[in-house]
């Protein structure tokens, strides 16, 4: 059956004490709401709707940047979860199948859990509610179940002592028949202390209409919400622990896993080795057998099989590192393709460049790519040898098999197999060092006296 996804992301999150909307705070270097969308993406939804409210324009911009095809609707007046879902009515006009309602501040719902809910819908339930067995039920709403039927959801303040003893609690996540969802939402009232329209009320309304409701249970950790900075930190720790465990399962070696930090979309191949204190920003793919050495930072980069990065290396967006290449200590690569087997081993910056296969860049090599207004490219041919402390002033091309002398400032193209030397002629002044130091020491003595 077709699936549609509604993610509620309208809340202010006042307990975050932030000017930023709550759902724009990040886990794994992605906004909270992105994680909810990612979970739903496993169901291949036909329509994706994000309901925004507080900080609507900022959240809208972030959402469209993440997914240009998502529908973003605004809940101008925040009057509860049912009211929020109602804002998706137009975007879901004529929809058939299942509608899942997720929350932008609940990032850990697993795709497998949503699949179980879809299966329950396929089994004949009009409304499926996601529950969890709470270690400390506290003030969560309780799910009242008889057999496989969800009878009602009772809020803590309205529950009897017997009902409060129930540990099956409400997560708020639902799956409902698209054809009847808004009929149920329209029937929700606001006769409560907060005068808000609660989505949970659709269960009792559905049953009053003879519709079947049921529940699916998940692990409590999946329902972790983020409302404070402390909860955000705990959520980040949970995310990182999961990603490290997944890396181990995928055949990746993490020599000090607690010091490695993943982004939400990090991809690492089997038999890769990640040394301590490595940080992955968004958009990184590491191929099989590569090694990322300690204290390196990678973002928007692709590392080929068998390549070695670091220690203390920085790969910025657009870095393409070929197989068996070497990027060494205190080297920065940006918008550059480093060919297979090439070496950039020490204290170098390579930006807006192409480095050919098995080229070797000596220590202190810099591609001078910016003229103050525009960026320009440097091309270094296969098997070229760039002497230490060479400044390559782009645009410039170093030919295949060419060399540059150490300390050169290269401003013109170098033909294939040529040696370019661009530095002042050395001049030795006999005895001048001794005379100069004597004069300086004498001046120093006068000042101290």
């Amino acid at each position: 059956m077709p699936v549609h996804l509604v993610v509620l992301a309208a809340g202010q999150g006042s307990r975050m004490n932030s000017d930023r909307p709550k759902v724009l705070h990040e886990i794994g270097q992605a906004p909270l709401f992105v994680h909810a969308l990612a979970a739903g993406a496993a169901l291949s939804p036909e329509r994706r709707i994000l309901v925004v409210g507080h900080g609507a324009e900022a959240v809208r911009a972030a959402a469209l940047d993440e997914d240009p095809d998502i529908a973003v609707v605004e809940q101008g007046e925040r009057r509860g979860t049912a009211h929020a879902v109602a804002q998706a009515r137009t975007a879901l006009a004529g929809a058939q199948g299942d509608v899942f309602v997720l929350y932008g501040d609940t990032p850990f719902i697993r795709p497998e859990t949503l699949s179980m809910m879809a299966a329950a819908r396929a089994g004949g339930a009009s409304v499926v509610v996601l529950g969890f067995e709470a270690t400390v039920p506290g003030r969560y709403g309780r799910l009242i179940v008889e057999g496989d039927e969800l009878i009602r959801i009772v809020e803590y303040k309205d529950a009897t002592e017997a009902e409060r003893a129930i540990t099956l609690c409400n997560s708020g996540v639902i799956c409902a028949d698209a054809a009847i969802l808004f009929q149920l939402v329209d029937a929700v009232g606001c006769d409560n202390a907060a005068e808000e329209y609660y989505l949970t009320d659709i269960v009792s309304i559905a049953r009053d209409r003879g519709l079947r409701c049921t529940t699916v249970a998940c692990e409590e950790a999946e329902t972790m919400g983020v409302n404070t900075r402390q909860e955000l930190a705990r959520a980040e720790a949970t995310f990182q622990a999961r990603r490290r465990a997944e890396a181990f399962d995928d055949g990746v070696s993490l020599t000090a896993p607690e010091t490695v930090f993943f982004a939400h979309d990090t991809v690492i191949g089997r038999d890769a080795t990640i040394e301590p204190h490595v940080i992955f920003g968004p958009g990184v793919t590491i191929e099989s057998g590569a090694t990322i050495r300690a204290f390196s930072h990678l973002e928007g980069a692709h590392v080929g099989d068998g390549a070695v990065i670091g220690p203390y290396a920085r790969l910025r967006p657009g870095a393409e590192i070929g197989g068996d290449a070497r990027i060494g200590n205190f080297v920065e690569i940006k918008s550059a393709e480093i060919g297979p087997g090439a070496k950039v081993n020490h204290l170098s910056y390579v930006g807006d460049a192409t480095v050919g296969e098995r080229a070797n860049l000596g220590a202190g090599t810099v591609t001078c790519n910016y003229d103050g207004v525009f960026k320009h490219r440097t091309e270094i041919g296969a098997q070229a040898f760039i002497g230490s402390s060479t400044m390559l002033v782009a645009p410039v091309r170093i030919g295949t098999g060419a060399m540059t002398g150490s300390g050169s400032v290269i401003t013109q193209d170098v033909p294939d197999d040529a040696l370019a030397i661009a530095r002042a002629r050395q001049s030795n002044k006999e005895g001048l060092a001794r005379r100069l130091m004597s004069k300086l020491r004498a001046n120093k003595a006068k000042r101290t006296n």
Side-chain angles (χ1 to χ4, degrees):
M1 296 179 68
V3 170
H4 315 283
L5 190 65
V6 177
V7 176
L8 305 186
Q12 179 176 357
S14 57
R15 285 189 285 166
M16 296 293 286
N17 191 22
S18 175
D19 293 331
R20 184 191 305 180
K22 178 170 67 171
V23 294
L24 291 186
H25 287 267
E26 295 184 345
I27 294 174
Q29 300 190 48
L32 287 170
F33 75 85
V34 169
H35 295 270
L37 288 171
L43 299 173
S44 301
E46 286 188 1
R47 307 186 200 183
R48 299 171 304 284
I49 300 95
L50 186 71
V51 182
V52 302
H54 178 72
E57 290 310 309
V59 179
R60 184 191 308 273
L64 293 176
D65 183 61
E66 183 71 26
D67 181 0
D69 295 326
I70 195 170
V72 182
V73 300
E74 185 172 353
Q75 184 187 20
E77 184 181 9
R78 267 77 77 192
R79 299 200 61 191
T81 48
H83 182 258
V85 172
Q87 310 314 303
R89 183 191 310 271
T90 300
L92 286 173
Q96 300 294 316
D98 297 344
V99 176
F100 283 83
V101 178
L102 305 180
Y103 295 84
D105 61 355
T106 306
F108 295 129
I109 304 296
R110 297 186 308 130
E112 295 85 351
T113 296
L114 300 182
S115 294
M116 288 192 296
M117 296 179 69
R121 265 280 298 126
S126 297
V127 177
V128 181
V129 174
L130 181 62
F132 63 98
E133 290 288 344
T135 304
V136 181
R139 303 187 69 82
Y140 287 114
R142 306 305 204 264
L143 301 182
I144 310 302
V145 176
E146 293 180 2
D148 63 352
E149 298 281 329
L150 176 60
I151 305 303
R152 67 184 186 279
I153 302 174
V154 59
E155 298 301 326
Y156 176 84
K157 63 181 183 300
D158 300 321
T160 65
E161 287 302 315
E163 290 169 336
R164 289 179 180 181
I166 294 171
T167 57
L168 183 62
C169 296
N170 177 36
S171 73
V173 174
I174 71 159
C175 174
D177 184 341
I180 66 169
L181 174 61
F182 292 104
Q183 298 174 24
L184 299 175
V185 167
D186 287 343
V188 173
C190 61
D191 185 17
N192 51 64
E195 296 184 343
E196 291 188 350
Y197 298 88
Y198 295 129
L199 187 62
T200 51
D201 289 349
I202 68 171
V203 170
S204 58
I205 295 169
R207 287 190 57 81
D208 288 345
R209 296 183 179 186
L211 301 174
R212 180 168 170 259
C213 302
T214 191
T215 184
V216 165
C218 68
E219 296 292 329
E220 184 175 5
E222 289 188 53
T223 67
M224 180 191 300
V226 176
N227 297 292
T228 67
R229 301 278 185 166
Q230 291 89 340
E231 290 174 352
L232 183 67
R234 286 197 293 271
E236 180 70 38
T238 297
F239 171 84
Q240 295 298 337
R242 287 186 177 184
R243 292 307 307 269
R244 292 163 190 155
E246 290 171 2
F248 283 130
D249 290 342
D250 290 339
V252 178
S253 292
L254 307 176
T255 55
E258 69 281 0
T259 69
V260 176
F261 289 84
F262 294 88
H264 67 106
D265 58 353
T266 306
V267 177
I268 304 179
R270 189 171 69 172
D271 291 327
T273 297
I274 312 300
E275 293 186 358
H277 301 287
V278 171
I279 296 177
F280 295 106
V284 174
T285 298
I286 309 297
E287 300 291 350
S288 297
T291 297
I292 311 300
R293 300 190 65 188
F295 294 98
S296 295
H297 185 285
L298 297 79
E299 179 179 2
H302 175 264
V303 177
D305 56 293
V308 178
I309 309 298
Y312 295 97
R314 184 184 183 198
L315 302 188
R316 291 171 57 193
E320 289 280 344
I321 312 301
D324 297 314
R326 298 292 185 268
I327 307 298
N329 51 288
F330 303 103
V331 171
E332 179 178 344
I333 309 291
K334 188 273 294 185
S335 296
E337 298 85 45
I338 310 299
K343 296 180 180 180
V344 190
N345 273 330
H346 321 282
L347 303 161
S348 297
Y349 169 73
V350 181
D352 298 286
T354 301
V355 177
E357 184 176 359
R358 289 186 291 144
N360 191 320
L361 278 61
T365 297
V366 174
T367 59
C368 306
N369 56 334
Y370 185 48
D371 64 9
V373 178
F374 298 106
K375 297 289 181 68
H376 303 279
R377 290 193 67 81
T378 297
E379 296 183 23
I380 300 173
Q383 301 181 60
F385 186 95
I386 308 301
S388 297
S389 295
T390 294
M391 302 291 112
L392 300 168
V393 182
V396 69
R397 179 183 180 277
I398 310 300
T400 299
M403 301 177 66
T404 68
S406 296
S408 293
V409 178
I410 303 298
T411 59
Q412 300 178 32
D413 289 354
V414 180
D416 293 355
D417 300 317
L419 168 63
I421 302 173
R423 59 191 181 211
R425 183 180 298 276
Q426 183 171 319
S427 176
N428 296 333
K429 306 297 183 181
E430 296 293 337
L432 182 57
R434 175 177 49 79
R435 295 195 301 271
L436 179 60
M437 290 304 297
S438 295
K439 181 178 179 180
L440 291 174
R441 291 188 182 105
N443 289 339
K444 182 177 180 181
K446 289 179 181 178
R447 292 181 182 179
T448 56
N449 290 337

